[in-house]
Each structure stands twice: as C-alpha cells, then as structure tokens.
Amino acid sequence: MKRVFSGVQPTGNIHLGNYLGALKQFVELQDDHECIYCIVDEHAITVPQDPKELREHILDVAALYLAVGVDPKKSIVFVQSDVSGHAELGWVLCCNSSTGELSRMTQFKDKSKNKESAPTGLFTYPVLMAADILLYDTDVVPVGNDQKQHIELCRDLAIRINNKYKKTFVVPEGRFMKAGARVMALDDPTKKMSKSAENIHSRISLLDEPSKIKKSIMKATTDSEGIVKFDIENKPGISNLLSIYSALSGISIEDLEAKYEGKGYGDFKKDLVEVTVEALAPIKARYEEIRHSEELIEILKDGAAKADAIAQKTMARVKENFGLGLGR
Ligand code: AMP
Ligand code: TRP
C-alpha cells in the first residue's frame, strides 16, 4: 500500500479552500492507502501565536479532520510537535538545502514582504515541511495548488541526498484536486481564499453559521455580464463560484452552465448557498460532538505513538547513512 502524508496548520478559520483543496482528498485516499495526517503546530509558530489559542486551534483542526471523515481506525492522526523526528530531520535537511533555493519560495516572499526582518523559521518553513514528508517514506502528498513549489523542493532534497549518501528517502509526489485545488477569495477572486484575510466574507469557514454563509456568497464579487459561464481570465469571480459549486455537489461545470443558462447570478448564488449549507451541516454537527471529547485526545496520543515508531526507524536510517552518532 502506498503511504500518504499531509498536514494543516492549526491557525484557525479552516475554510472551503482547505476542505476542497486538501481535506476532501484526505478522506478519499483512506481506503486504499496508508494515511498519516498531521496538525503542523511547529509550522504555525513561524509567525507569532498566542500559546493558549494555539493549543485550542490544534484541537480544532484535529476535530475537523475527524468531522470531515478522516477515520482514526484507518488513518494516523497526530500533532507534529509530539514526534521529535520532525524537528530533528528538519535540521539535517537544512544542512542540505541552500539559502538560494529557499529565497525563491513564493510563500516566503509573500509572508516576509514589507517586513524589515523575518524569523529564520519562516525562511526554513519548506525544509521542515520536507522533513514531515520524508520522515514517513511518503509516496503521495495531497495538498492544494499553493504547495506545489514546496513539494518540488522536498523532491529535490530527497533526490539530492539519495545521490550524495546511500539511498535514504522515498521521493514523494504531490496530489492535487481538479476542482478545488485553488479556491479564490470571495471578495477578490484574484487572491486565494486564506485563513488570515481581514474580511471574514472573503472566506467560508467550515463552521460558519448558515446566515454567515448566505451573506458571504450573496456578497461575492462577480461581474456585470450576468451570464453563468466558466472563464477564469475574464470572469474569475463567477468561475470561482462555479468551481466551488461543482466540487461540493459533484455536478460538472458544463452541466451547471447549462442549468443556469438564461438565469442571473442571483438564482445561481441562492442555490450555491443551499448546496454549501447542506454540505457543511454534517461536518459542523460531528465537530460539535467530538471537539471537547476525551476520545479526541486519545486518538491524538495513539496517533503520535504510531507516527513516532515510524519516524524513529527513518531517523535511525538517516543517522546511519550520514554517520551521525555512535551507530547502532
Ligand atoms: P494551510 O491552511 O496553509 O495549513 O493549508 C492546509 C491545506 O489547504 C494545504 O494543503 C493547502 O494547500 C490547502 N489550501 C489552503 N488554501 C487553499 C485554497 N485557497 N484553495 C485550495 N487549497 C488551499
Ligand atoms: N505547508 C502546508 C500549508 O501551509 C502545511 C504542511 C506542513 C504540509 N507540512 C506539510 C502539507 C507536509 C503537506 C505535507 O498548507
């Protein structure tokens, strides 16, 4: 069975982009893959975090994993900082990556833009992400499109080290959704939907109330043409809404275009509100059930023990191949 690894940062406001780009794939892959899903709290601290809030957000994301359908009987679910191998391998990989290649990472450029100085951890973020992946001999990494460059770096590092030392790592591949790989902000379809945007109507969070969902969708930016047609270049707003509708309902974009031929954006948006509310209701219900349960903590502890057992084997191999320590 092929192994899958992915992670989400515990930074609040998990939104439709996270769901359609990443979480939906997590669930799809469970039946015929060995899946490991992580809450990457060490990535979260690359930007300032309030300690109390961070801990709450870790449990929020864990509960959302389960609420969208990740099944702890099939998949390992755990918190990154509970397994020390991530930081340990991160260091080894740092020593094999260059400041030049990390300077080219667009996420770093975006996040450090207009700042006088940025934390070193923000700069080496993609290296820690590579460590997450390589630590588990991962074959497949389900993520949104925005992570493509980071996956490429991870592959480069694995290949580089395999060539320089004994073959140490499995070279992983990214897995991206056709619809949903890049969900755009509702108020500005030229930007990706993000957890941190100031305008709450730019995103739909998985736990939003129906009234908030309605407001955000009805306000969403479209164009003045009034024709429901997919055309990313000229009609990015309605195209984004069509992608969301299609990904949530399973109806193809062509069929949706046909369905709304001759109708305006109002009708389309009203139906999209209904589809979205219906898709998110069971997620919210399951979330409420487990978020404050002891079961959730047990699942994470059990997941960390299982992940750690795999991680320790990889670290032993890494140390052996690099000549670190005294040997076994
Ligand atoms: P993050 O919130 O940055 O931890 O992202 C968690 C996962 O959601 C990653 O796989 C991202 O690629 C994915 N993701 C984040 N934002 C979007 C978006 N707007 N559209 C599609 N996928 C996204
Ligand atoms: N960088 C990813 C994001 O922001 C989160 C992440 C960290 C991740 N480590 C990972 C995703 C390993 C996949 C695999 O979305």
Side-chain angles (χ1 to χ4, degrees):
M1 259 213 275
K2 289 205 164 169
R3 188 170 282 159
V4 168
F5 181 96
S6 194
V8 174
Q9 297 186 67
T11 42
N13 295 327
I14 302 287
H15 52 68
L16 266 186
N18 299 128
Y19 178 55
L20 298 176
L23 295 172
K24 251 182 107 183
Q25 302 194 67
F26 293 10
V27 180
E28 281 174 17
L29 288 164
Q30 285 184 122
D31 288 323
D32 44 8
H33 293 76
E34 193 186 335
C35 296
I36 307 180
Y37 298 126
C38 185
I39 298 124
V40 290
D41 55 348
E42 289 169 337
H43 279 98
I45 60 166
T46 55
V47 296
Q49 298 291 341
D50 175 83
K52 273 210 189 91
E53 273 178 19
L54 179 60
R55 196 151 279 165
E56 291 302 315
H57 286 156
I58 289 172
L59 294 174
D60 292 347
V61 173
L64 270 175
Y65 275 178
L66 304 188
V68 300
V70 170
D71 179 353
K73 290 198 193 76
K74 297 179 188 161
S75 302
I76 296 177
V77 181
F78 76 106
V79 183
Q80 185 184 32
S81 64
D82 281 342
V83 175
S84 60
H86 293 257
E88 206 178 346
L89 182 57
W91 175 253
V92 174
L93 297 184
C94 264
C95 297
N96 286 275
S97 62
S98 73
T99 52
E101 64 190 341
L102 296 187
S103 311
R104 288 194 289 276
M105 296 290 126
T106 54
Q107 186 173 301
F108 172 72
K109 286 197 255 183
D110 286 349
K111 288 196 177 177
S112 60
K113 205 163 52 189
N114 304 327
K115 298 212 172 80
E116 237 174 67
S117 128
T120 312
L122 195 62
F123 187 61
T124 58
Y125 175 113
V127 182
L128 180 60
M129 175 165 165
D132 298 341
I133 296 167
L134 301 181
L135 192 57
Y136 298 97
D137 293 333
T138 303
D139 299 292
V140 183
V141 189
V143 278
N145 261 354
D146 61 331
Q147 297 302 310
K148 261 192 182 153
Q149 201 186 21
H150 290 164
I151 302 288
E152 265 320 299
L153 177 83
C154 175
R155 289 169 52 84
D156 288 349
L157 289 174
I159 293 167
R160 184 178 309 159
I161 290 171
N162 284 347
N163 288 336
K164 192 165 163 194
Y165 299 86
K166 265 204 267 182
K167 183 178 178 314
T168 306
F169 296 122
V170 172
V171 181
E173 278 184 26
R175 182 183 191 270
F176 309 93
M177 296 294 264
K178 279 205 193 81
R182 192 169 173 79
V183 176
M184 308 311 282
L186 299 181
D187 62 337
D188 178 358
T190 63
K191 293 198 186 116
K192 71 170 182 176
M193 187 177 282
S194 95
K195 290 170 174 170
S196 55
E198 232 164 80
N199 179 4
I200 57 164
H201 294 295
S202 68
R203 64 182 159 259
I204 292 172
S205 296
L206 296 192
L207 303 173
D208 275 350
E209 294 297 334
S211 57
K212 151 71 176 63
I213 294 175
K214 184 171 177 196
K215 203 161 174 196
S216 304
I217 291 178
M218 297 316 284
K219 278 165 83 97
T221 302
T222 49
D223 54 67
S224 53
E225 208 181 41
I227 299 171
V228 179
K229 189 167 163 290
F230 190 87
D231 177 352
I232 287 268
E233 290 272 303
N234 302 306
K235 295 160 75 70
I238 198 72
S239 301
N240 186 40
L241 297 181
L242 270 166
S243 299
I244 294 173
Y245 196 143
S246 172
L248 286 177
S249 65
I251 305 173
S252 73
I253 291 191
E254 298 80 65
D255 287 353
L256 287 173
E257 285 173 341
K259 184 171 156 124
Y260 291 97
E261 204 181 324
K263 296 186 186 158
Y265 294 153
D267 285 344
F268 172 84
K269 281 181 166 181
K270 255 188 239 149
D271 289 353
L272 177 57
V273 171
E274 214 171 283
V275 166
T276 308
V277 169
E278 221 167 87
L280 299 188
I283 295 176
K284 198 170 156 72
R286 173 97 180 105
Y287 174 88
E288 306 291 351
E289 241 173 65
I290 46 187
R291 170 60 180 82
H292 295 283
S293 68
E294 206 39 48
E295 184 196 351
L296 182 63
I297 308 293
E298 289 310 316
I299 288 167
L300 293 173
K301 283 188 181 164
D302 180 58
K306 287 182 181 147
D308 192 49
I310 303 171
Q312 287 200 30
K313 277 196 200 145
T314 310
M315 279 319 295
R317 188 171 74 229
V318 169
K319 284 183 162 181
E320 189 57 33
N321 291 357
F322 277 73
L324 287 164
L326 298 177
R328 283 174 277 180

